[in-house]
Amino acid sequence: MAAAPDAVIPGIARPRWHRVEIAFWIAPVVAYLAFPDRRLLLSQVFVYGLFALSLDLVLGYAGILSLGHAAFFGAGAYTAALLAQHGWTEPISGLIASGAVSAAFGLLVSLLVVPGSDLGRLMVTLGVGLLMYEAANQTASITGGVDGLTDLPIGALFGKIPFGLDGRAACVYSFAILALVFLLARRLVHSPFGLALRGIRENVRRMPAIGVNVNQRLRVVFAIAAGIAGVAGAALTQTTQLCGIDSLGFQRSAELLIMLVFGGAGRLYGALVGATVFIVAQDALAGVSPDYWQFWLGAVLVVLVLIARGGLLGALDALVRRVRRRR
């Protein structure tokens, strides 16, 4: 499952910002102003874009197959929820603490995941996800079990901006987190560390010959990705003021993979595009066909896989190359 290079549009993968990238980040601001009644949905797009970005680091760049990435998302979500429930209501510090807990958990899990083969990694990550789900289910006195934790007392941002039902604070908060983490991830993948990850993904046997400690780098990126997933989970808990056991479920991990397939793995922007398409399509199809929306979403996914290799950005990349050749 090796991912394609980042270059979808000329210049988009370079360290310097391309005008297409700038337009990409202006689009959410326009959407925020143009659709005031959809701001809660927009905040969900930002959160799941961040979640998909975390998986892209381990799958698209490091080539680590994972079916249990929701374990780290849920760990961050429950950390933020439990902190708020026990009096730590300040959102930003709670977010940082949740990310740190998920990163530490990811580092421990990486000790089991990294040494294995692709199939072994799939089984270990799936097992960890199932264990986390069952642990949350069995400790209902702490996690709320299947009912989850609701009406969490999340404090106002900077002590002045509460998370209201209009979604304004949630949308701005989620977007700011996504933008900041994306900047860090973009810097990471263009650094020597990121180039080493690509080399490991393409040919893991040759990298030790040039002095690269493969297992060490994979453990580090796995922990970083787990921390980002935890931040996404915490942001979802804080903006919705609830935390459910479904945040740890296998379905959440499966949906995350679908998002990455939609957008295109190994591109960073593919994770954001895929999450946007998935969330918006899910909302639209559920409104049109509440009973069969999953069928239509599955049909779209099958068609996309058949006609667009590398996801939507992969198809765009191929189209750009074709136009260039004709010119």
Side-chain angles (χ1 to χ4, degrees):
M1 297 182 64
D6 287 71
V8 176
I9 300 173
I12 204 168
R14 297 173 185 171
R16 292 185 179 181
W17 288 85
H18 190 272
R19 59 178 177 272
V20 177
E21 285 187 280
I22 297 173
F24 181 92
W25 289 102
I26 291 175
V29 179
V30 174
Y32 174 86
L33 297 174
F35 304 103
D37 57 334
R38 309 298 285 172
R39 285 172 181 166
L40 285 175
L41 178 66
L42 195 58
S43 69
Q44 299 272 314
V45 170
F46 297 148
V47 168
Y48 282 100
L50 183 61
F51 189 22
L53 182 67
S54 70
L55 181 63
D56 197 23
L57 287 177
V58 296
L59 177 60
Y61 284 89
I64 299 176
L65 302 175
S66 175
L67 282 178
H69 210 61
F72 311 114
F73 182 84
Y78 272 104
T79 299
L82 292 172
L83 287 175
Q85 196 176 52
H86 290 83
W88 191 344
T89 60
E90 202 285 315
I92 297 178
S93 59
L95 187 82
I96 296 172
S98 300
V101 168
S102 293
F105 178 44
L107 185 60
L108 290 176
V109 173
S110 72
L111 300 177
L112 300 174
V113 172
V114 169
S117 61
D118 286 345
L119 181 58
R121 290 169 178 173
L122 281 175
M123 298 306 294
V124 170
T125 53
L126 176 60
V128 169
L130 294 176
L131 285 172
M132 286 288 290
Y133 182 89
E134 191 58 29
N137 188 34
Q138 293 298 323
T139 55
S141 60
I142 300 174
T143 64
V146 294
D147 296 325
L149 302 173
T150 58
D151 298 325
L152 296 170
I154 305 299
L157 285 171
F158 308 111
K160 298 180 180 179
I161 309 172
F163 291 106
L165 295 177
D166 57 4
R168 287 187 297 176
C171 193
V172 173
Y173 181 61
S174 302
F175 179 71
I177 296 169
L178 174 62
L180 178 60
V181 174
F182 183 89
L183 286 174
L184 297 175
R186 188 177 185 272
R187 184 66 180 266
L188 177 70
V189 299
H190 291 299
S191 68
F193 180 83
L195 294 177
L197 290 179
R198 297 189 199 189
I200 293 170
R201 181 194 67 197
E202 297 299 330
N203 196 321
V204 66
R205 295 181 179 180
R206 291 186 179 180
M207 296 306 290
I210 60 174
V212 174
N213 190 328
V214 172
N215 286 351
Q216 181 188 59
R217 279 167 170 75
L218 292 181
R219 285 194 293 267
V220 170
V221 75
F222 197 89
I224 291 173
I228 294 174
V231 168
L236 183 65
T237 292
Q238 292 174 343
T239 54
T240 60
Q241 299 180 16
L242 57 89
C243 178
I245 196 172
D246 62 304
S247 63
L248 291 163
F250 172 73
Q251 182 178 353
R252 190 62 58 93
S253 295
E255 289 176 348
L256 186 65
L257 283 171
I258 293 173
M259 293 176 196
L260 209 53
V261 170
F262 269 146
R267 301 171 184 269
L268 289 187
Y269 282 99
L272 306 188
V273 171
T276 301
V277 171
F278 182 86
I279 298 298
V280 173
Q282 184 183 54
D283 181 72
L285 292 172
V288 174
S289 179
D291 296 327
Y292 301 103
W293 68 268
Q294 288 182 320
F295 169 81
W296 295 113
L297 191 62
V300 171
L301 176 63
V302 170
V303 171
L304 182 66
V305 170
L306 292 175
I307 66 175
R309 185 178 181 183
L312 293 173
L313 296 192
L316 180 58
D317 191 13
L319 179 62
V320 170
R321 289 198 302 266
R322 190 177 306 167
V323 171
R324 283 183 168 183
R325 285 196 297 266
R326 289 182 179 179
R327 288 182 178 178

